[in-house]
Amino acid sequence: MVVKLEVINELDSLYNRAVELITEQLNNGANTFGLATGGTMLPLYEKIRQSDLDFSNCISVNLDEYVGIAQSHPESYRSFMNTQLFDAKPFKQSYLPNGEANNVQEEAQNYENLLKSLTLDFQLLGIGENGHIGFNEPGTAFTSETHVVKLTESTRKANARFFDSIDEVPKEAITMGIASILRAKCIVLIAVGEKKRAALEALVYGEVTEDIPVTCLQQHPNVIVLTDLDLSK
Ligand code: GLP
C-alpha cells in the first residue's frame, strides 16, 4: 500500500495542507497541473485565490467537462474553473475538454493527444460517492484514456444540487481516463465528508478493482490522500 493517508479533522487545516502541497510542487519546479472541479475544491481554490501563488508560467489541464451544455453555462466546468481560479490566478495556458465540440469522440482523442504531449507533474482529484474519479464511473477499464462517458444516475443525482433540476444535469461528459490520470507524477486526492467514507475505505483498505475506480490509485507510486474522515470509526 503506497497511498499516504493524512487525516486532518479540521477543514481549514486540511485545505491549508493542500495549498502547502501545491506550493511545494511549484517550488520544486512543477509547471503542469491537472485540476479538478466539484464542491470539494471550492475552499482550496478560495485559499489559492487569496494566496500569492503565481501560475503564470504553468499549464493546467482539467480532468473532465460535461457534454451538452455550453461552455458559457454557469455549471460548465470551464465556467467553474474561470470563476473559482483562472480569473484570479491565470495560467499560461488552461485546457479543458470541449464538451461543445461537434464530434465529441474526436475531441476526446485530441485531448488525450494533448495530455500525451505534456508531463503532468501533479494531479488534483476529488472522489465521487461511488468511487469515481474524474468521470470514470464504476466498470471503467484501468487502461482507459480520455473518452466520452454516459453519467450514472447516482452521479447525476449527486450533481443535481448545482442545477435547477435533475433533468438539467447533463447525461454525458468527456473525461480523462484512468490510464491518463495515472501518468501524473504526483496525485493529491481530497475526500471530505461522510458521503465519501465508503469510497475512501475502498481506496485505503479495499481490493484493487475496476468496479471502484479510485482503487486504481493503489497502483500509483506517489499518492497523498487528505481527508477529515477517521477511518477507524
Ligand atoms: C464530479 C467530478 C469529480 C468530482 C466529483 C465529486 O463528478 N467529475 O471530479 O470529484 O464530482 O464532487 P464533489 O466534490 O462536489 O463531491
Side-chain angles (χ1 to χ4, degrees), residues 49-87:
R49 289 197 306 272
Q50 289 163 358
S51 74
D52 56 7
L53 292 178
D54 178 7
F55 296 96
S56 57
N57 284 320
C58 297
I59 291 174
S60 71
V61 274
N62 262 76
L63 284 168
D64 47 15
E65 176 61 286
Y66 290 120
V67 169
I69 55 173
Q71 290 183 36
S72 57
H73 187 290
E75 293 306 330
S76 77
Y77 286 170
R78 169 62 77 177
S79 294
F80 177 104
M81 291 308 299
N82 285 345
T83 311
Q84 299 302 327
L85 191 62
F86 300 150
D87 289 350

Side-chain angles (χ1 to χ4, degrees), residues 36-41 63-64 66 77 125-129 132-135 151 155 158-159 161-162 175 190 192 196:
T37 54
T40 307
M41 301 305 155
L63 284 168
D64 47 15
Y66 290 120
Y77 286 170
L125 288 182
I127 188 173
E129 290 169 35
H132 73 240
I133 51 173
F135 269 131
L151 301 178
T155 297
N159 288 1
R161 66 192 193 278
F162 299 116
T175 183
I190 305 179
V192 162
K196 306 296 172 72

Side-chain angles (χ1 to χ4, degrees), residues 68-162:
I69 55 173
Q71 290 183 36
S72 57
H73 187 290
E75 293 306 330
S76 77
Y77 286 170
R78 169 62 77 177
S79 294
F80 177 104
M81 291 308 299
N82 285 345
T83 311
Q84 299 302 327
L85 191 62
F86 300 150
D87 289 350
K89 292 284 178 186
F91 285 63
K92 185 169 66 181
Q93 212 38 274
S94 283
Y95 298 101
L96 281 91
N98 177 8
E100 285 187 277
N102 286 332
N103 183 336
V104 283
Q105 305 290 345
E106 195 177 277
E107 170 64 12
Q109 186 57 55
N110 291 342
Y111 202 71
E112 185 63 28
N113 293 342
L114 166 77
L115 290 171
K116 283 187 171 150
S117 71
L118 303 168
T119 302
L120 282 190
D121 294 302
F122 176 92
Q123 178 66 56
L124 184 63
L125 288 182
I127 188 173
E129 290 169 35
N130 62 4
H132 73 240
I133 51 173
F135 269 131
N136 292 284
E137 297 283 20
T140 307
F142 285 173
T143 52
S144 57
E145 297 190 321
T146 306
H147 60 289
V148 180
V149 291
K150 190 173 177 321
L151 301 178
T152 62
E153 281 314 293
S154 136
T155 297
R156 293 185 68 239
K157 267 188 206 142
N159 288 1
R161 66 192 193 278
F162 299 116

Side-chain angles (χ1 to χ4, degrees), residues 14 19 30 38 50 56 58 62-63 81 89 127 134 161-162 165 172 191-192 197 205 208 217 219-220 223 225:
L14 184 152
V19 174
Q50 289 163 358
S56 57
C58 297
N62 262 76
L63 284 168
M81 291 308 299
K89 292 284 178 186
I127 188 173
R161 66 192 193 278
F162 299 116
S165 78
E172 288 185 325
V192 162
R197 183 178 287 277
Y205 302 121
V208 177
L217 298 181
Q219 300 178 334
H220 190 281
V223 177
V225 175

